[in-house]
Amino acid sequence: MMIEFKNVVKQYPNGTIGLNNINLKINEGEFVVIVGLSGAGKSTLLRSINRLHDISSGEITIDGKSVTRAGGKQLRRIRRDIGMIFQSFNLVKRATVLRNVLSGRVGYHSTFSTMFGYFPKEDTEIALDALSRVNIREKAYIRADQLSGGQQQRVSIARALAQKPKVILADEPVASLDPLTTRQVMDDLQRINRELKITTIVNLHFIDLAREYATRIIGLRAGEVVFDGPVSEATDAKFAEIYGRPINEDELLAAEAAKGGVTV
Amino acid sequence: MTPAPTPESAEVGAPPPPPSKKPAPTLDSKGPQRYKMLATWLLFLIVLIACFYQVDANFFDLFSVNARDNMNRILGEMVRPDWSYAEDIWEPMIETVQIAIAATVIGSILAVPVALLAATNVIPKKMVSIPVRMVLNLVRTIPDLLFAAIFVAVFGIGAFAGMLALVFFSFGLVAKLTYEAIEAIDPGPLEAMTSVGANKIQLIVFGVIPQALPYFFSYVLYAFEVNVRAAAVLGFVGAGGIGLHLDQQLNSLRYDRASIIILITLLVVLLIDYASTYLRRKLL
């Protein structure tokens, strides 16, 4: 699926500019990492793709179909094809892992059949397959709050996979994880991108991690795209430009890991 | 957002409110705060004295010869309960509990859709939440005995009127506590359900209900406790249950029988309270 931003502007009611005239084309199968300081508009950009945030003007299209003008059932159909992974996992903690993953399937069923929590057998299989892909199938019948942070994030990846998505959006997926589980989760995302050819867009604040996993890096600063290119062009000097200052230690996962005494 | 304490939650054993994200306000007793405190106490004292005066409160009455004689006589009869009367009382006692069970179940079921409509994180439309909350507040301002009196007038004397009164009471109580619990749930799963393409009902079934259900059950049990206690006095306005018998025995000055009614009611209420508190602790 190709995602296209045309003159996208997001202005908040208080006048703050979130996104300033964004023009982007993201092609099928890419692994795009968006970098930038907090407040640069990374999260707004990501959330405007599945309309968790509305934009003020311009248009976003997916395979030529407008997300901006979609509504009701059409919008829900578009969202169904886009898996999303959040910094805080956003699982129902009291529910089982399987139940959480199955909730990714609701877009495929009528209101009535899902109202009583009924899912056909194929769905359970899709959910269990998704769990296998992130190597936690054996946790299927455990309550989500019994799992570690890294495992919970993999459950949320499985929930996204159960949607059979064409695009995966990940908003700071590793920001609340330790360096070791960070790698496992990023490896999972990379493997899924390669094996299933799912277009993947990830917000990250670790520069070395961005360089390691991305096929393309987009730099945002104050709501504007200030860098867009392959990893080979994203030098330290370029990052300093994106950030408007030299790179800090804490923007490197390796430095974080050394601090915590974990070898990566 | 911590709700103002309601009369119910001020009672002993009220369920804990859902966790609030706001930090507790810190009290600073320095500066102008001190004068404010003094003024508050002064005002409180004035109001208290005015009330005492108005109701002819007289502490000497407590120890008057007349009161002491009455007390001795009544207590004297009460400590010799008429045990043979107990078998006549079990049936109305069971009826009392049945009134409470039926009313709690019906009221709580009715409360579910209303609580969802009143919760602004589920239906973010003021056009819906404000009128729904107004109706809820109205229902909650009417005391259960007043409801009972009205329904006795409409449907005649009997347990049905009492049950109906408690349906309204439990509906108001459970709906209010539940919508406040719903508003305090983690918004993360709601966002996740929106992003997978769920519609409103699917969002409720998969995002809201699993998070709010333990709170809801806890409030239902709490409503049941309160209902049993309320059902025990409904009989005074003719709305069935054990209160009718207590009223009769008191009016015919049979304190030996009144005391057995009180004892049995106490026993049943204690048992139910204990069981319900235990279950609620298990739930949350």
Side-chain angles (χ1 to χ4, degrees), chain B residues 116-129:
Chain B
L116 287 166
L117 288 175
T120 47
N121 56 345
V122 180
I123 316 275
K125 288 194 183 78
K126 284 208 160 92
M127 289 272 287
V128 178
S129 63

Side-chain angles (χ1 to χ4, degrees), chain B residues 61-194:
Chain B
D61 274 0
L62 275 178
F63 307 102
S64 71
V65 180
N66 200 5
R68 204 191 312 157
D69 284 353
N70 279 339
M71 207 59 169
N72 278 341
R73 185 171 50 79
I74 294 172
L75 278 181
E77 284 181 47
M78 276 189 151
V79 292
R80 286 187 294 273
D82 177 5
W83 293 104
S84 64
Y85 185 57
E87 51 196 282
D88 296 333
I89 233 49
W90 280 113
E91 204 176 311
M93 190 65 237
I94 289 167
E95 186 192 61
T96 307
V97 177
Q98 283 166 337
I99 291 174
I101 291 175
T104 312
V105 171
I106 297 170
S108 303
I109 290 172
L110 293 176
V112 173
V114 176
L116 287 166
L117 288 175
T120 47
N121 56 345
V122 180
I123 316 275
K125 288 194 183 78
K126 284 208 160 92
M127 289 272 287
V128 178
S129 63
I130 289 177
V132 169
R133 284 178 192 197
M134 266 166 62
V135 171
L136 267 185
N137 282 334
L138 189 74
V139 171
R140 285 165 42 77
T141 38
I142 302 172
D144 44 0
L145 272 181
L146 192 58
F147 268 128
I150 293 167
F151 290 133
V152 165
V154 176
F155 300 102
I157 286 175
F160 180 64
M163 191 206 75
L164 220 51
L166 293 186
V167 164
F168 275 81
F169 173 73
S170 7
F171 163 78
L173 177 65
V174 174
K176 179 173 163 78
L177 290 173
T178 305
Y179 95 68
E180 279 168 359
I182 291 174
E183 291 199 329
I185 62 172
D186 177 8
L190 307 188
E191 194 183 28
M193 286 318 292
T194 309

Side-chain angles (χ1 to χ4, degrees), chain A residues 47 50 52 76 79-80 82 84 86 90-94 99 103-104 106 109-111 114-115 119 159 163, chain B residues 186-202 205-207 210-211 214-215 283-284:
Chain A
R47 277 152 203 258
N50 61 356
L52 286 185
R76 291 200 297 273
R79 282 176 175 158
R80 188 184 81 184
I82 305 176
M84 187 150 190
F86 303 85
N90 289 359
L91 302 175
V92 174
K93 297 197 174 63
R94 292 178 164 279
R99 192 97 199 129
S103 73
V106 297
H109 301 292
S110 72
T111 305
T114 45
M115 222 160 98
F119 286 99
R159 176 177 59 195
Q163 288 172 245
Chain B
D186 177 8
L190 307 188
E191 194 183 28
M193 286 318 292
T194 309
S195 81
V196 303
N199 62 29
K200 198 53 114 194
I201 289 171
Q202 292 168 332
V205 171
F206 290 89
Q211 290 195 74
Y215 290 102
L283 269 170
L284 291 177

